[in-house]
Amino acid sequence: MRRSSGGCESTAATEPAVATPAGSGDESSAGALAASEGFEFEQRVDGKPVFRIAGDRFRAAKDGEVELEGVELSLYRDGEPYRVVARTAVYDSETKASRLEGGVEITGGDGFSLTTDAVDLSEGGGDLVSRGPVSLRQGSAISGAASGLRLDFG
């Protein structure tokens, strides 16, 4: 599905779409509005990607939370992609914030990489805050560890 409005377009796909209606007896979809195997969404502004997210599974709950498993997202800042992978993510549609957990790895240009157990991502992906110790690397020249970290992608 592709939507376009004022230079901004979004593309969403589920492959293969296996929607599970609430109350179908599937324990993982209890209280869900929808659940599916495979998910992908990309947002573009003036034909350039600004955000992309994909997951192995998703579940949209009645309370507005969207839960993803096998998460991979890309944030584009100044045309530079930052790739984030995690085992799970929870997106709150009310606050527009996300929590990613489980083997979180962030990679970007110039050999940048960061690993941690969990991060919080603010609305629009502008700020990323680790929820525990991190290790980071910038190419082969810089590496380190910290008890926490805040990245400003804005």
Side-chain angles (χ1 to χ4, degrees), residues 53 68 71-73 75 83-91 97-106 116-122 127-131:
I53 187 164
L68 294 168
V71 182
E72 180 181 330
L73 67 92
L75 302 168
R83 183 174 172 255
V84 183
V85 296
R87 277 194 289 284
T88 64
V90 176
Y91 171 76
S98 300
R99 182 178 62 248
L100 292 87
E101 297 180 318
V104 177
E105 183 176 350
I106 303 165
T116 188
D117 288 333
V119 296
D120 293 320
L121 192 59
S122 69
D127 291 317
L128 181 138
V129 179
S130 73
R131 297 176 61 206

Side-chain angles (χ1 to χ4, degrees), residues 1-117:
M1 174 189 321
R2 182 178 294 274
R3 294 184 197 154
S4 182
S5 137
C8 180
E9 62 184 63
S10 301
T11 304
T14 54
E15 297 182 310
V18 181
T20 307
S24 69
D26 179 359
E27 195 71 26
S28 66
S29 66
L33 291 174
S36 177
E37 297 291 321
F39 172 81
E40 183 175 342
F41 173 83
E42 182 178 66
Q43 183 175 19
R44 294 175 166 267
V45 174
D46 296 326
K48 296 178 183 174
V50 292
F51 177 81
R52 179 188 169 276
I53 187 164
D56 294 335
R57 280 174 285 295
F58 88 94
R59 177 184 170 275
K62 293 177 184 174
D63 64 3
E65 282 193 344
V66 177
E67 300 170 2
L68 294 168
E69 293 179 28
V71 182
E72 180 181 330
L73 67 92
S74 297
L75 302 168
Y76 298 86
R77 297 298 182 252
D78 298 324
E80 184 73 35
Y82 290 87
R83 183 174 172 255
V84 183
V85 296
R87 277 194 289 284
T88 64
V90 176
Y91 171 76
D92 184 325
S93 63
E94 189 172 310
T95 64
K96 309 265 190 272
S98 300
R99 182 178 62 248
L100 292 87
E101 297 180 318
V104 177
E105 183 176 350
I106 303 165
T107 56
D110 296 327
F112 172 81
S113 70
L114 177 143
T115 56
T116 188
D117 288 333

Side-chain angles (χ1 to χ4, degrees), residues 129-152:
V129 179
S130 73
R131 297 176 61 206
V134 299
S135 67
L136 57 104
R137 177 173 300 278
Q138 181 77 43
S140 61
I142 301 172
S143 65
S147 60
L149 183 72
R150 177 173 185 250
L151 290 174
D152 181 359

